[in-house]
Amino acid sequence: MKYSYRQTQHREYVGDDKGDLYLNHLKYFEFHHYPGERLHSFWAIAIVLILLFKIDDLFSINVFYGLLGIYVMYIAIFTKYLLTKKICRYKGYFLYPNAMIRFFKKRKKSTNSVI
């Protein structure tokens, strides 16, 4: 279908005359690489691996510590996902810290830049 991008499942995408899909720049922004990105990516993977093997120990200490460990693992996984995709929402994500979104906004690409 030539105009399949106008369907409801592609609401957050905008199409051009040829049918190519682009993210809606009103909802999402792209960000640049930054000097500490590889270190942040490494730490996210390390935290996920450590918590993956120690989450049962945290739950045996206290349920609150176990839930806190799951939340930290969620943040680490989502940070790794955002660092891989380099696309983020302006309004943020469910239970994801706004400080991290502001950190990525400081490295936002200009919408007028040509790739």
Side-chain angles (χ1 to χ4, degrees):
M1 294 174 100
K2 184 176 179 184
Y3 298 106
S4 62
Y5 62 86
R6 298 193 186 272
Q7 295 176 356
T8 57
Q9 70 239 25
H10 299 297
R11 270 183 279 176
E12 52 214 20
Y13 292 93
V14 177
D16 63 355
D17 294 338
K18 298 176 185 175
D20 295 329
L21 297 177
Y22 299 100
L23 277 174
N24 187 351
H25 289 291
L26 299 175
K27 293 183 180 180
Y28 295 90
F29 65 92
E30 293 183 69
F31 55 92
H32 292 285
H33 294 280
Y34 56 93
E37 180 183 357
R38 291 184 68 193
L39 182 64
H40 288 165
S41 180
F42 170 75
W43 276 107
I45 292 171
I47 288 172
V48 168
L49 290 177
I50 290 170
L51 286 175
L52 190 63
F53 293 112
K54 296 295 182 180
I55 198 74
D56 56 344
D57 295 336
L58 291 174
F59 271 111
S60 66
I61 295 171
N62 192 347
V63 174
F64 177 73
Y65 291 144
L67 291 176
L68 186 65
I70 289 175
Y71 177 66
V72 170
M73 187 186 300
Y74 166 75
I75 290 174
I77 290 171
F78 211 79
T79 301
K80 176 63 180 157
Y81 172 76
L82 290 177
L83 289 175
T84 303
K85 290 291 186 174
K86 303 244 181 289
I87 296 172
C88 186
R89 287 183 64 188
Y90 277 108
K91 292 186 177 180
Y93 296 94
F94 180 70
L95 293 178
Y96 195 73
N98 285 332
M100 302 287 279
I101 301 298
R102 286 193 300 269
F103 177 79
F104 293 137
K105 277 184 187 176
K106 289 179 185 176
R107 285 132 184 94
K108 181 174 93 166
K109 287 183 181 178
S110 171
T111 55
N112 299 338
S113 65
V114 177
I115 299 174

